Amino acid sequence: MAQRAWDIPCSYEARNCINPIRKLVDRKVYVPNPEKAVIKLNIGDPTFFGNLPAHPGAQQAVSDAALSGQHNAYEPTPGSPEARAAVASKYSYPCNPLTAEDVQITSGCAQAVEFVLTTLCETGDNILMPRPGFSLYKTNNDGRRVEMKYYNLQPDRAWEADLDHLESLIDEKTRVLVVVNPSNPCGSAYSKEHLLQLVAVAEKHRLPILADEIYEHIVYNGGEFHPIASLSDRVPIFTCGGIAKRHLIPGWRTGWLIFYDRHDRLKEARVCVQQLSTRILGACSITQAAIPRILNDTPQEFFDNTTRHLAAVSSYMFDELAKLPCLKPVKPVGAMYMLVGVEVDLLPNIADDTEFTAKLMSEESVFCLPGYIFYYPNFFRIVLLAPLENMKEAAARISAFCHRYMVQES
């Protein structure tokens, strides 16, 4: 009898779990010009350049928690009582009051998103996702055969949703409306009026909202942030957040999922989320212990320093890139990003956003992500976190690159 050959198959879910941003970055698809230092404007990690450090109080809170010896055990899988209470107190609103029981502590905002999508969606279901949109949602869903239905955002209307298009996508298999505000990748922040329009659509079609607010309060250039749960209790809302972006500590992997459920429509969902949290026996106990001090003791000046930086950098980059006929930047007012349109008709030797960003990297060593990563071709995304000096150099290189490829007027 012939010996059986080794054959160790992997699951459909694992084989189809692909994060296009990490794939592009980790596999070094884009090769820089060896004669120029790389300027990385591709990943939204506020720690990368060292110019936006964590607040010392946050670092001390984690240090104290670790050295106390009191937080080495597993916490309850929904999170420590103290951390849950601190989040509930911080994010309670008159129309949507909270208790600690309404909070699930998670390993980053990404896990909060995963909990919601896994709880609500089965094979053949679909979710409503903004386009342009962050690719992590597709990464979560493809392996589970959950369909992404993308509703259009409108660059000429501050990236507001096209409500008619949104409603046209809803069917009996639609499980949740995703609202990302402030937006990665758009750099937008919605008005109260537009958020209430989205709530009205969700109420009409009896859909819960997944509110991705990891960039909460990161607004500038006249932008305003309004937590969607602070505006209405008419629909159940899952709000996903954390300390990664506003507190500039993404590597600490600490976030939360908040159930805004004034009318008790998420009973089963709460139980299912808690069951899912038992897979990893809860988030890190040390960072959980630091959450009350991080949320309550970080001074406003710390946050203002970040938004001042983003305002200065975004204004400079917008003004410089708007001078180039082949580029159409959309000025951001929130989050840490700016989307820039590429007029390929004015660039006869560049086919699309993928070729634009690849050549920009190979010739000028400026690394930006192409729009196709966000399901929005012929745009590219710029991360606004580098020091202004680096951004000025990046703008100069982008300008030189465009002038080399642009159709010259006769």
Side-chain angles (χ1 to χ4, degrees), residues 37-278:
V38 176
I39 303 176
K40 292 190 173 183
L41 307 182
N42 57 313
I43 294 294
D45 184 343
T47 72
F48 181 79
F49 292 94
N51 57 317
L52 295 170
H55 190 266
Q59 296 172 319
Q60 189 63 52
V62 166
S63 176
D64 290 347
L67 293 175
S68 73
Q70 301 300 307
H71 304 286
N72 296 331
Y74 293 119
E75 292 289 0
T77 53
S80 74
E82 296 80 9
R84 298 173 77 194
V87 172
S89 177
K90 190 76 172 179
Y91 296 95
S92 190
Y93 308 114
C95 69
N96 267 313
L98 299 175
T99 71
E101 295 299 309
D102 299 310
V103 177
Q104 167 75 50
I105 303 298
T106 60
S107 183
C109 182
Q111 188 180 59
V113 169
E114 181 181 7
F115 281 169
V116 176
L117 298 181
T118 304
T119 293
L120 297 182
C121 302
E122 295 185 303
T123 296
D125 292 338
N126 65 73
I127 73 168
L128 300 169
M129 181 73 194
R131 179 173 55 204
F134 189 48
S135 55
L136 184 64
Y137 287 82
K138 192 172 189 298
T139 301
N140 271 320
N141 281 335
D142 277 358
R144 298 186 300 110
R145 297 181 174 92
V146 174
E147 181 185 2
M148 307 290 291
K149 287 193 171 186
Y150 293 99
Y151 61 91
N152 291 331
L153 306 184
Q154 303 166 97
D156 57 343
R157 298 190 60 181
W159 297 111
E160 288 189 349
D162 181 334
L163 298 174
D164 291 335
H165 182 243
L166 167 60
E167 286 207 72
S168 74
L169 300 174
I170 299 171
D171 61 23
E172 70 280 358
K173 288 290 189 177
T174 304
R175 295 293 175 255
V176 64
L177 168 59
V178 176
V179 178
V180 183
N181 182 55
S183 169
N184 175 13
C186 298
S188 57
Y190 289 151
S191 66
K192 287 182 180 180
E193 291 74 20
H194 189 58
L195 289 169
L196 286 171
Q197 289 175 326
L198 292 167
V199 168
V201 171
E203 182 181 25
K204 176 181 176 181
H205 295 277
R206 297 299 189 259
L207 292 173
I209 290 174
L210 190 167
D212 185 335
E213 296 182 352
I214 189 61
Y215 294 96
E216 55 158 346
H217 298 291
I218 302 178
V219 288
Y220 44 92
N221 294 338
E224 295 182 357
F225 171 66
H226 305 285
I228 195 167
S230 71
L231 303 179
S232 175
D233 66 354
R234 300 203 307 264
V235 301
I237 297 170
F238 301 90
T239 291
C240 302
I243 59 176
K245 303 299 184 177
R246 193 178 187 219
H247 290 269
L248 309 177
I249 38 181
W252 293 13
R253 309 309 304 134
T254 303
W256 46 77
L257 169 59
I258 304 173
F259 300 89
Y260 291 101
D261 187 27
R262 194 76 180 269
H263 303 289
D264 210 22
R265 294 163 179 153
L266 300 178
K267 275 185 180 180
E268 186 179 12
R270 292 169 184 261
V271 173
C272 290
V273 165
Q274 184 170 342
Q275 290 174 177
L276 288 171
S277 73
T278 64

Side-chain angles (χ1 to χ4, degrees), residues 52 215-221 246 248 300-314 333-335:
L52 295 170
Y215 294 96
E216 55 158 346
H217 298 291
I218 302 178
V219 288
Y220 44 92
N221 294 338
R246 193 178 187 219
L248 309 177
Q300 183 61 39
E301 175 58 24
F302 171 78
F303 305 122
D304 292 344
N305 180 64
T306 302
T307 53
R308 279 194 297 268
H309 168 83
L310 293 167
V313 167
S314 64
V333 297

Side-chain angles (χ1 to χ4, degrees), residues 337-367:
Y337 313 97
M338 179 167 69
L339 280 180
V340 183
V342 181
E343 299 287 340
V344 292
D345 291 344
L346 300 179
L347 301 165
N349 293 314
I350 293 179
D352 53 27
D353 56 296
T354 303
E355 188 172 9
F356 180 95
T357 52
K359 287 185 173 180
L360 180 63
M361 182 63 160
S362 65
E363 296 179 23
E364 296 292 344
S365 294
V366 176
F367 194 178

